[in-house]
Amino acid sequence: MKNIIFIAPPAAGKGTISDYLVENYNYVHLSTGDLLRTEVSLGTLLGKEIDELITKGKLVSDDLIISLVNNELTKLNGRLFILDGFPRTLGQAHKLDQMLASLGVTNNVVIYLDIDVEEASKRALGRVICPNCKRSYHLYNEGFKPLNDNLCDDCNTVLEKRSDDTEVTFKNRFLSYLTNTGPVIDYYKKQNRLVKISINDKSITDVIKEVIKVASEYSTSSKEAEFRLKSGGSND
Ligand code: ADP
């Protein structure tokens, strides 16, 4: 299996897919959103600043997020990982290539989950999460409702709505995705490093199957090697 770098609009379902891969394939799930929400829950000064940005649907600074991710990557010691929510800007994508190269990690695949804005918005507005174990549920989707009212199936904690899963903030997050993450998609596409999975009308089971297939079968194509040669061996 390969390390997975997920690129997707907000609320596409990266967290749900990641939960499955953690349980069944021993992946470590690195979600920048979860890392930031943990800092917020500590109530530190930094946490308060982050909370304000998240609630408005704005991005935190590249410097902060890069240092958080770098810290997590250096702790992995060769374990398989999923990057969920990073890179979200071109600067982060460049930096990620440098970090992975300096750690000697080459076993990676970038998976782009393509979903319409209407469908993603529905998913965001119906989402509730467990503040303790981070599992997410969907109130309007039969397969993803909690078994007991508003309690987490795994740890019995009262589920919460995320402060940024409102109609207005979702719009901002989606706009930010188009502006900031659009160029990241082009960056990987140009290098033939992007595997696209369209997920609009697919069940979560089918999407997970496709992700597993890609993560187990993906190999660096000759086209990617060709791109590297043409661009002088650099990914920047
Ligand atoms: P979603 O994928 O549903 O938008 P996340 O949990 O990944 O949500 O992120 C929540 C929020 O955390 C983002 O809207 C943003 O404010 C902040 N955030 C997460 N990852 C990054 C990142 N790589 N760069 C900047 N801000 C980030």
Side-chain angles (χ1 to χ4, degrees), residues 12 20 24 37 41-42 47 70 75 90 119-120 154 173 192 196 219:
Y20 183 90
N24 296 280
R37 282 184 288 272
S41 69
L42 295 176
N70 194 35
K75 289 195 289 202
L90 205 48
E119 180 61 29
D154 291 340
R173 284 156 65 202
N192 288 301
K196 174 171 153 179
S219 70

Side-chain angles (χ1 to χ4, degrees), residues 96-110:
L96 178 61
D97 277 346
Q98 289 170 12
M99 291 192 283
L100 293 177
S102 77
L103 291 166
V105 178
T106 52
N107 190 29
N108 314 305
V109 58
V110 183

Side-chain angles (χ1 to χ4, degrees), residues 38-146:
T38 299
E39 189 65 41
V40 171
S41 69
L42 295 176
T44 58
L45 198 60
L46 178 63
K48 288 196 177 108
E49 283 169 26
I50 293 171
D51 192 29
E52 229 171 85
L53 291 169
I54 290 183
T55 306
K56 286 183 187 147
K58 292 187 175 169
L59 295 184
V60 308
S61 74
D62 276 3
D63 283 352
L64 171 65
I65 207 81
I66 286 165
S67 96
L68 275 178
V69 170
N70 194 35
N71 195 23
E72 295 299 316
L73 288 176
T74 50
K75 289 195 289 202
L76 284 170
N77 290 325
R79 277 174 304 159
L80 270 179
F81 63 86
I82 299 166
L83 261 183
D84 163 0
F86 184 94
R88 255 180 161 96
T89 66
L90 205 48
Q92 292 176 18
H94 290 155
K95 198 68 196 179
L96 178 61
D97 277 346
Q98 289 170 12
M99 291 192 283
L100 293 177
S102 77
L103 291 166
V105 178
T106 52
N107 190 29
N108 314 305
V109 58
V110 183
I111 299 182
Y112 165 41
L113 303 174
D114 189 22
I115 183 172
D116 287 347
V117 59
E118 293 83 12
E119 180 61 29
S121 166
K122 250 196 270 168
R123 294 183 187 191
L125 300 182
R127 169 161 65 185
V128 282
I129 56 165
C130 173
N132 180 41
C133 72
K134 317 290 180 219
R135 182 164 166 188
S136 86
Y137 298 84
H138 291 269
L139 298 177
Y140 314 126
N141 186 331
E142 275 312 321
F144 291 93
K145 281 185 184 172

Side-chain angles (χ1 to χ4, degrees), residues 136-177:
S136 86
Y137 298 84
H138 291 269
L139 298 177
Y140 314 126
N141 186 331
E142 275 312 321
F144 291 93
K145 281 185 184 172
L147 294 173
N148 287 321
D149 267 350
N150 207 24
L151 296 179
C152 176
D153 295 355
D154 291 340
C155 65
N156 229 29
T157 306
V158 177
L159 301 172
E160 290 176 354
K161 211 171 160 52
R162 274 173 42 175
S163 65
D164 56 346
D165 278 342
T166 64
E167 218 166 325
V168 173
T169 304
F170 181 82
K171 273 190 193 139
N172 290 339
R173 284 156 65 202
F174 204 88
L175 273 179
S176 156
Y177 164 76

